[in-house]
Amino acid sequence: MDSSVIKKFALETYGCQMNVADSELVEGILTNLGLEKTANYDEADAIFLNTCAIRENAETKVHSKLGNLHKIKLNKPHLIIGVLGCMAQNLKDDLLKNKPYVDIILGPDSYRKIPDLINRHVKDNKSIVDTKLSRYEVYENLFPSRGDTFNAWVSIMRGCDKFCSFCIVPFTRGRERSRSVESVIEEVKKAVDQGFVEITLLGQNVNSYNFEGKSFSDLLLAVSDINGVKRIRYTSPHPQDINVELLEVMASRKNICNYVHFPMQSGSNEVLKRMNRTYTREHFYDMAMKIREIMPNCGLSTDIIVGFPGETDEQFRETLDLMEAIKFNSAFTFKYSPRPYTKAEQFSDHISEDIKKSRLDEMLILQRKHTLELNQNMVGTFQQVLIEKESKKSNLHWAGRTDSNEWVIIEKNNSNIKDIVPVEISDATGVILHGKEITGA
Ligand code: SAH
Ligand code: SF4
Ligand code: F3S
């Protein structure tokens, strides 16, 4: 790389944890070449946006950011602007045609080429696109540059073959492929040596992991055996691939967290079918009960879409009804957003924005009630809290999470970030719990 031209880069990440992990890979590649990361756009010679295409508003944010970057570039013509990730994949033609000031467009399977492409661009000053998806790229042997935190994201599989009818991910990320058990283990060991105490295994469809016959459960056991791994989390699973074997593995190991993200999407069998979700409301409910039976007090969160094409008021009420029956600790709720290439975009019976909004509002009220109720049930219980950061509201308090993924605020006392401390939950006023560290325990 011609480092006389490019000395400093900025990198901003949108979207899910997979993108966060990918940005760490890109940062690792660039810093290995001697480039320095900066948060200050004024001193950056290259600015990369690692983008998300999951809903329209994710794309809108990036378009408006690109507008800002264009203005910076007008006064600084040598600035390289790069669009990485899921939007690059999805919008390359549009970007080339309408935003010629974007210099480099790189899809999620092309990051190894980033040094070459920067060099090529510096030589001929032409926009470069590489968005080819790979059947094999899992970025083995590349070590990400991780921030100084407690948690290491470890990507174990990429892509998705599920083709839920609303979702763009199979088109932006390509086919499913898993990384070898050995390379995952090697990366986790390295992360532990660097001082990380929590490992989060990542994939668009994390529990369909399959490497030469080794399943996700096998991998979890292997990671759990590594000395020094205090906590293991994973995201995002698909309900179809959560089975009793996996739950028993989770229950059998202390360092695998008592928490499952269990994305429901809808509680109506008709809607689930049109979403191509491959499970029924009855199966979903039974599995939720199984999770709580095998892992008592397990934290349960979900994703739900309202206003999917053709969703009737009655079908929406079936979703509320299933939420009521299960009671999730938390829920990420979204208005359906039509996405290019997807089957649902072609459906003729789209729902108006007003109806989507009123359904979302009603759902949020119900979820808030459940969160508060479950949080209040925790008052008086004892929890192990991993201290993650300073509380946003007070520099005398820490914020940390329980094994079951609930945020708890405690006084600092003598504890430090990365410590796991025993805490008695004293109060639950909203989504956040308050607790007291039990000293001398
Ligand atoms: N692989 C994960 C989902 C990743 S996307 C899984 O299957 O759970 C995260 C969430 O975004 C999805 O669970 C879904 O609830 C939401 N989502 C995806 N596409 C969407 C769309 N077109 N409109 C609204 N929400 C969407
Ligand atoms: Fe999208 Fe469905 Fe794949 Fe999740 S499982 S990434 S929602 S297609
Ligand atoms: Fe977004 Fe791509 Fe993740 S579309 S949610 S960044 S996989």
Side-chain angles (χ1 to χ4, degrees):
M1 157 106 33
D2 185 353
S3 54
S4 59
V5 184
I6 311 286
K7 291 199 173 66
K8 294 192 179 181
F9 69 97
L11 174 56
E12 195 161 313
T13 308
Y14 299 80
C16 64
Q17 286 93 342
M18 287 294 288
N19 258 16
V20 174
D22 281 357
S23 286
E24 292 178 347
L25 270 179
V26 170
E27 188 178 331
I29 296 173
L30 295 177
T31 46
N32 269 341
L33 292 166
L35 273 65
E36 195 186 320
K37 192 178 173 200
T38 174
N40 180 352
Y41 284 2
D42 289 338
E43 57 178 40
D45 307 300
I47 303 177
F48 298 102
L49 304 182
N50 192 3
T51 62
C52 171
I54 198 82
R55 284 169 291 276
E56 198 184 342
N57 58 9
E59 287 189 358
T60 311
K61 276 189 217 155
V62 171
H63 284 300
S64 97
K65 188 73 183 194
L66 281 173
N68 296 343
L69 297 188
H70 186 199
K71 282 189 201 130
I72 300 178
K73 187 162 171 152
L74 291 175
N75 294 320
K76 196 174 166 184
H78 83 279
L79 177 71
I80 295 180
I81 299 179
V83 171
L84 317 179
C86 292
M87 260 174 91
Q89 198 62 47
N90 173 30
L91 282 185
K92 54 179 181 265
D93 298 332
D94 174 62
L95 288 173
L96 280 176
K97 201 165 125 219
N98 302 320
K99 296 193 166 67
Y101 56 86
V102 175
D103 303 298
I104 294 178
I105 301 172
L106 267 188
D109 288 344
S110 307
Y111 298 145
R112 282 183 200 271
K113 297 185 198 146
I114 202 166
D116 284 351
L117 298 189
I118 295 177
N119 270 338
R120 259 172 57 197
H121 175 75
V122 169
K123 270 196 201 113
D124 62 16
N125 200 26
K126 288 204 180 105
S127 294
I128 304 180
V129 182
D130 192 321
T131 55
K132 202 165 175 298
L133 289 169
S134 158
R135 286 194 165 263
Y136 310 103
E137 180 62 274
V138 284
Y139 294 112
E140 264 175 16
N141 315 321
L142 276 186
F143 286 101
S145 165
R146 301 197 160 94
D148 181 23
T149 66
F150 60 96
N151 173 68
W153 308 108
V154 178
S155 153
I156 62 161
M157 58 82 67
R158 299 178 72 86
C160 177
D161 291 349
K162 292 275 197 292
F163 288 92
C164 302
S165 66
F166 50 80
C167 184
I168 199 171
V169 170
F171 303 95
T172 61
R173 290 271 178 171
R175 300 289 56 79
E176 255 174 52
R177 61 221 108 114
S178 298
R179 202 172 147 183
S180 71
V181 176
E182 295 75 53
S183 85
V184 173
I185 302 288
E186 192 191 343
E187 188 172 331
V188 172
K189 283 186 173 158
K190 192 163 170 178
V192 170
D193 288 345
Q194 290 171 337
F196 292 92
V197 289
E198 181 178 280
I199 301 293
T200 304
L201 304 177
L202 287 182
Q204 267 85 23
N205 219 322
V206 74
N207 52 343
S208 60
Y209 176 89
N210 182 343
F211 186 82
E212 293 177 352
K214 296 280 186 206
S215 69
F216 183 60
S217 302
D218 297 331
L219 183 73
L220 264 186
L221 282 173
V223 173
S224 159
D225 280 336
I226 297 172
N227 265 338
V229 176
K230 289 193 186 166
R231 279 192 172 175
I232 304 168
R233 299 186 186 276
Y234 62 86
T235 198
S236 242
H238 188 291
Q240 184 192 311
D241 301 319
I242 292 200
N243 50 35
V244 169
E245 184 201 352
L246 170 60
L247 298 175
E248 284 174 348
V249 162
M250 291 177 71
S252 72
R253 296 298 175 101
K254 227 178 142 212
N255 60 358
I256 305 180
C257 286
N258 207 17
Y259 165 66
V260 180
H261 181 61
F262 199 45
M264 169 167 122
Q265 313 299 359
S266 167
S268 149
N269 280 336
E270 182 53 34
V271 175
L272 286 170
K273 203 158 143 204
R274 283 154 52 86
M275 286 178 162
N276 192 27
R277 281 298 281 185
T278 68
Y279 52 83
T280 60
R281 133 189 202 107
E282 292 75 21
H283 174 78
F284 188 87
Y285 175 79
D286 289 348
M287 277 316 285
M289 295 306 116
K290 209 55 185 178
I291 293 171
R292 289 199 172 126
E293 179 194 318
I294 298 177
M295 291 189 288
N297 304 316
C298 180
L300 212 54
S301 62
T302 196
D303 290 348
I304 306 177
I305 295 177
V306 298
F308 184 76
E311 183 190 62
T312 62
D313 192 55
E314 197 182 321
Q315 289 165 343
F316 168 64
R317 307 239 151 251
E318 286 183 73
T319 303
L320 297 181
D321 181 65
L322 191 52
M323 288 171 74
E324 192 70 76
I326 295 173
K327 289 201 173 94
F328 296 100
N329 298 79
S330 63
F332 301 91
T333 51
F334 309 102
K335 287 186 285 182
Y336 168 74
S337 168
R339 305 312 293 135
Y341 316 121
T342 61
K343 219 167 162 190
E345 194 209 11
Q346 310 296 325
F347 292 167
S348 55
D349 39 7
H350 286 261
I351 304 288
S352 78
E353 220 25 55
D354 286 353
I355 294 182
K356 284 185 200 169
K357 187 175 180 317
S358 76
R359 287 182 185 168
L360 186 69
D361 290 345
E362 192 173 344
M363 184 169 279
L364 285 170
I365 291 171
L366 181 65
Q367 182 53 48
R368 228 171 274 139
K369 191 178 108 193
H370 292 161
T371 300
L372 187 61
E373 195 178 314
L374 296 184
N375 278 354
Q376 282 169 346
N377 288 345
M378 288 177 76
V379 173
T381 64
F382 296 94
Q383 304 288 332
Q384 299 293 324
V385 173
L386 171 61
I387 297 175
E388 299 186 11
K389 56 188 180 191
E390 193 167 83
S391 157
K392 274 187 201 143
K393 292 197 177 144
S394 145
N395 61 7
L396 301 175
H397 290 80
W398 293 126
R401 272 183 298 168
T402 64
D403 193 333
S404 59
N405 207 35
E406 310 296 339
W407 281 100
V408 185
I409 305 293
I410 56 170
E411 272 177 31
K412 280 191 175 171
N413 289 335
N414 294 322
S415 46
N416 284 307
I417 289 178
K418 294 189 192 182
D419 287 348
I420 295 184
V421 293
V423 167
E424 181 178 2
I425 304 299
S426 53
D427 191 18
T429 43
V431 290
I432 306 234
L433 299 166
H434 291 262
K436 285 193 185 72
E437 184 179 345
I438 305 162
T439 44

